[in-house]
């Protein structure tokens, strides 16, 4: 179990949580990391394998979210009306951070025998 966080805003809280024994992991909200997570979230939504039970805060965050695409077809979540303080996408960002971390944890690892050979 881990607590994922964007280091640009949550450093103090994460230091306190780490001090209390939690495993905290930095997850940078970069194009490179968010694109696969966005695509995975999209796949899960289309496959109907993401369930939020109609939670009003989750629905609000999703309704407040859009995606920005660069020329390489990378995507990141954004607020479509950046200057509207009432719009929040924090729940979507948290979901994407969790999906990005799961992808890292589930990535195939090389066999120890490939790295060091047989003993």
């Amino acid at each position: 179990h881990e607590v994922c966080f964007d280091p640009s805003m949550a450093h103090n809280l994460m230091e306190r949580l780490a001090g209390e024994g939690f495993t905290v992991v930095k997850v940078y909200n970069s194009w490179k990391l968010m694109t696969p997570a966005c695509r995975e979230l999209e796949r899960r939504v289309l496959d109907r394998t993401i369930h939020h039970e109609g939670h009003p805060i989750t629905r609000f965050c999703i309704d407040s979210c859009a995606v920005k695409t660069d020329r390489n077809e990378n995507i990141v979540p954004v607020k479509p009306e950046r200057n509207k303080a009432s719009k929040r996408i924090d729940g979507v960002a948290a979901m994407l951070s969790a999906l990005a971390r799961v992808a890292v944890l589930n990535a195939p690892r090389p066999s120890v025998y490939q790295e060091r050979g047989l003993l």
Side-chain angles (χ1 to χ4, degrees):
H1 293 81
E2 300 174 339
V3 178
C4 302
F5 73 101
D6 179 354
S8 66
M9 300 296 253
H11 228 328
N12 291 337
L13 174 61
M14 292 305 120
E15 284 179 0
R16 288 197 330 246
L17 289 174
E20 292 181 23
F22 289 90
T23 301
V24 297
V25 179
K26 293 179 187 177
V27 177
Y28 294 92
N29 290 330
S30 66
W31 289 89
K32 181 180 178 181
L33 192 64
M34 287 294 112
T35 295
C38 285
R39 294 199 194 291
E40 178 64 14
L41 178 58
E42 178 183 41
R43 183 191 67 76
R44 289 177 184 219
V45 167
L46 293 174
D47 290 348
R48 298 182 181 269
T49 57
I50 290 278
H51 303 283
H52 63 76
E53 307 298 327
H55 194 281
I57 295 173
T58 303
R59 181 171 296 282
F60 174 76
C61 290
I62 291 170
D63 288 344
S64 299
C65 189
V67 294
K68 183 177 178 180
T69 306
D70 72 3
R71 66 176 185 236
N72 296 320
E73 298 185 17
N74 293 307
I75 53 178
V76 292
V78 295
K79 288 197 296 187
E81 299 173 54
R82 183 88 175 130
N83 57 349
K84 280 203 171 181
S86 62
K87 299 284 186 181
R88 307 299 305 175
I89 65 168
D90 302 313
V92 174
M95 227 183 314
L96 292 169
S97 291
L99 285 170
R101 191 66 189 145
V102 166
V104 168
L105 293 172
N106 289 336
R109 295 187 176 113
S111 165
V112 66
Y113 302 110
Q114 289 173 321
E115 292 177 0
R116 68 173 160 106
L118 293 172
L119 295 179

